[in-house]
Amino acid sequence: MAALMLPLWAADPTDDVGQKEFPGLQLLPEGSVVKGIVLPRYEKHRVSALMMADELRIDTRSLVSLKNLRAELYSPAGGLTTIMCGITQYDFSKDSITTDQTAAIKDSRFSAKGKGISFSTRTQLGILKGPVRTTFTSSAFSSAKGK
């Protein structure tokens, strides 16, 4: 499977196209489908996040649907948080990922599974929709003891 790498943000955030449209996809018409996609996000010349999907469909100039989304968020300290969803929508104009399908979050400290997710790629904050089942690892408790 070939992967297509596209920037998650436009090079110039003051550019009107960069604020309202999905960068790298302006040449494809609405309804286009791209398979095996990888969307990186960079902060200070390092990859801070990767969004990978089996399939991306262009719904509008700023809204895409992603099939089997896997988002990996890398912390500056080297931590990794992974978000996995089925069919998900990414709204570039709002910097938001949403789904009403089962979503899972895995981290070295915990794992959680819910009935959907709403996540801001700008603030890195999200809401896992309930009911939610969360399991904490022993490392989460041992690091809390030392504080």
Side-chain angles (χ1 to χ4, degrees), residues 6-24 26 40-42 90 92 95:
L6 298 170
L8 196 52
W9 278 266
D12 180 4
T14 61
D15 180 13
D16 189 45
V17 171
Q19 293 294 317
K20 296 179 184 163
E21 296 180 3
F22 208 89
Q26 294 93 344
R41 177 179 179 190
Y42 294 91
Y90 179 55
F92 184 73
D95 290 324

Side-chain angles (χ1 to χ4, degrees), residues 11-139:
D12 180 4
T14 61
D15 180 13
D16 189 45
V17 171
Q19 293 294 317
K20 296 179 184 163
E21 296 180 3
F22 208 89
L25 299 178
Q26 294 93 344
L27 300 177
L28 298 173
E30 291 179 8
S32 294
V33 174
V34 180
K35 295 188 183 265
I37 192 153
V38 178
L39 304 170
R41 177 179 179 190
Y42 294 91
E43 289 178 10
K44 298 181 182 177
H45 305 291
R46 74 170 184 86
V47 175
S48 61
L50 286 176
M51 284 191 350
M52 299 164 275
D54 291 343
E55 187 175 288
L56 176 142
R57 187 184 72 234
I58 302 171
D59 297 326
T60 68
R61 301 289 288 167
S62 63
L63 183 70
V64 297
S65 294
L66 299 151
K67 182 179 178 184
N68 298 326
L69 172 70
R70 178 184 172 100
E72 295 182 352
L73 311 173
Y74 305 100
S75 74
L80 170 65
T81 302
T82 304
I83 301 170
M84 294 167 287
C85 312
I87 302 295
T88 309
Q89 289 197 316
Y90 179 55
D91 188 332
F92 184 73
S93 65
K94 295 178 183 176
D95 290 324
S96 67
I97 297 169
T98 56
T99 186
D100 289 325
Q101 293 189 354
T102 300
I105 301 173
K106 291 190 179 191
D107 186 272
S108 62
R109 300 162 295 164
F110 69 93
S111 64
K113 189 174 186 179
K115 295 291 181 187
I117 198 167
S118 180
F119 183 79
S120 170
T121 58
R122 184 176 342 124
T123 64
Q124 300 287 307
L125 298 173
I127 297 170
L128 189 58
K129 300 173 187 176
V132 173
R133 180 182 176 115
T134 304
T135 305
F136 292 94
T137 63
S138 59
S139 64

